[in-house]
Amino acid sequence: QVQLVESGGGVVQAGGSLRLSCAASGRTSSYEAIGWFRQAPGKEREFVAAITWNIGLTYYADSVKGRFTISRDKVKNTVYFQMNSLKPDDTAVYYCAAVRATYNIRIQSAYDYWGQGTQVTVSS
């Protein structure tokens, strides 16, 4: 079992920044990567970014590339998600999740463990 806890969400004006954190505990050696997904009201949950735990390879959705940065601290078992130049369209509940294999890293059904989510609201 892996437990994931997100934090860092909040309300910010367009153009502002937020940093989300995802703290992992439990059998952290059982997963290969951590991903971030988001779900806006009335929309399906979508992939945003992911990072492989050992090597640190990163993956981004086109909509956030160049604005958001994912990183990890292996000592603290924490993944960070720095979000800059935020837009109202980035408003959503953000979830972190852990996946055992990376070949489907952009597919949410491949992920085994999920956090409870944190709300990000970007006002115009």
Side-chain angles (χ1 to χ4, degrees), residues 28-86:
T28 55
S29 60
S30 65
Y31 62 83
E32 291 287 329
I34 296 287
W36 284 96
F37 291 78
R38 67 186 181 185
Q39 187 166 21
K43 295 187 178 181
E44 294 185 355
R45 190 157 52 185
E46 64 176 358
F47 171 81
V48 185
I51 186 166
T52 61
W53 194 249
N54 284 330
I55 301 175
L57 291 176
T58 58
Y59 305 80
Y60 295 96
D62 288 343
S63 59
V64 306
K65 203 172 293 184
R67 299 189 297 126
F68 294 5
T69 303
I70 190 170
S71 62
R72 89 267 192 250
D73 184 325
K74 296 175 73 173
V75 174
K76 295 182 178 179
N77 277 340
T78 299
V79 170
Y80 301 102
F81 199 38
Q82 180 67 42
M83 304 186 296
N84 298 330
S85 302
L86 282 161

